[in-house]
Amino acid sequence: DAGVIQSPRHEVTEMGQEVTLRCKPISGHDYLFWYRQTMMRGLELLIYFNNNVPIDDSGMPEDRFSAKMPNASFSTLKIQPSEPRDSAVYFCASAEGIDGPQHFGDGTRLSIL
Amino acid sequence: GNSVTQMEGPVTLSEEAFLTINCTYTATGYPSLFWYVQYPGEGLQLLLKATKADDKGSNKGFEATYRKETTSFHLEKGSVQVSDSAVYFCALSDQVQGAQKLVFGQGTRLTINP
């Protein structure tokens, strides 16, 4: 079975550019989560969706970050404009149901120069 | 708010040694507790979980018991292998609005030498 698929795996871009991270959850999963992992702050939940609807975006750091889920098989996390402090590994995870375990993708390593 | 504290790493052991990684938590209510493992270049994988006090989660030789009285969920393995080298995360669920909102510890890097 295909797991959670994230793209790209690595992204290097210059400060001020727009960055778009993509995620395809596991088919049939109705919850989707976006996390950010840094050495300083560890693993933080940014936002999560249920049935394509954003439920809690309290972890989104600022207005430069936005996330969408136009359908059950695709989500994006966008940063515009990007800043060096946004450099991190971004993970997407999906889960089936209220008690389902979260399955993580392999992450996108983002470097903002 | 809810929080998870793990023992600081890195932890380095020899193959076949006994492993303990300490984890304590602060939470209102009765959260579920989890251990996740992250291998290099990969995402996190659920290793084991426990949903109520005195439950023991186990998988691949790893065990952890939900101790409400000490608010702990320590990870143990009797005989580690080189392939267990990874980063281990303790987490609790903050079930808000009908979803398991996970709060993670900082992670503990484990290296097993042959």
Side-chain angles (χ1 to χ4, degrees):
Chain A
D1 288 341
V4 175
I5 299 172
Q6 292 186 246
S7 63
R9 287 297 311 275
H10 303 274
E11 174 90 15
V12 181
T13 193
E14 292 191 346
M15 175 179 168
Q17 297 298 305
E18 178 178 290
V19 173
T20 300
L21 311 181
R22 297 173 175 80
C23 175
K24 177 178 169 54
I26 294 172
S27 177
H29 284 192
D30 53 345
Y31 285 89
L32 184 138
F33 305 81
W34 281 102
Y35 290 90
R36 178 173 66 175
Q37 185 179 38
T38 62
M39 288 294 291
M40 291 297 294
R41 300 175 65 91
L43 203 62
E44 305 171 280
L45 177 66
L46 300 177
I47 185 172
Y48 77 88
F49 296 82
N50 177 216
N51 290 324
N52 314 338
V53 177
I55 303 300
D56 184 346
D57 65 354
S58 60
M60 295 286 262
E62 48 197 277
D63 292 345
R64 297 184 297 106
F65 286 68
S66 63
K68 294 182 180 179
M69 192 165 185
N71 56 61
S73 58
F74 184 65
S75 177
T76 59
L77 177 68
K78 190 169 291 188
I79 308 173
Q80 168 61 22
S82 58
E83 297 182 5
R85 60 193 167 119
D86 301 330
S87 298
V89 181
Y90 291 80
F91 289 102
C92 176
S94 69
E96 180 181 7
I98 190 172
D99 292 325
Q102 293 185 26
H103 296 261
F104 283 73
D106 287 342
T108 294
R109 183 173 295 276
L110 178 63
S111 297
I112 308 297
L113 306 177
Chain B
N2 296 345
S3 65
V4 175
T5 303
Q6 292 180 232
M7 65 185 288
E8 287 201 23
V11 173
T12 302
L13 296 172
S14 297
E15 206 165 20
E16 299 183 4
F18 184 86
L19 168 71
T20 300
I21 300 178
N22 290 339
C23 170
T24 57
Y25 67 90
T26 302
T28 54
Y30 303 98
S32 294
L33 301 173
F34 306 83
W35 277 100
Y36 279 81
V37 58
Q38 183 179 28
Y39 298 102
E42 297 183 12
L44 280 70
Q45 302 175 26
L46 179 63
L47 182 59
L48 54 85
K49 71 175 186 178
T51 57
K52 60 183 188 297
D54 299 326
D55 265 4
K56 178 186 283 188
S58 61
N59 186 25
K60 299 181 181 179
F62 290 90
E63 292 182 340
T65 301
Y66 190 142
R67 301 285 187 201
K68 183 167 168 283
E69 63 276 12
T70 54
T71 62
S72 65
F73 192 56
H74 305 321
L75 182 68
E76 297 182 334
K77 186 174 185 182
S79 176
V80 292
Q81 306 300 313
V82 172
S83 57
D84 294 328
S85 299
V87 181
Y88 291 80
F89 293 88
C90 186
L92 63 80
S93 68
D94 181 357
Q95 197 159 30
V96 175
Q97 296 181 22
Q100 292 201 11
K101 191 173 172 181
L102 294 175
V103 175
F104 287 90
Q106 284 294 99
T108 302
R109 182 175 299 277
L110 173 67
T111 301
I112 307 299
N113 294 320

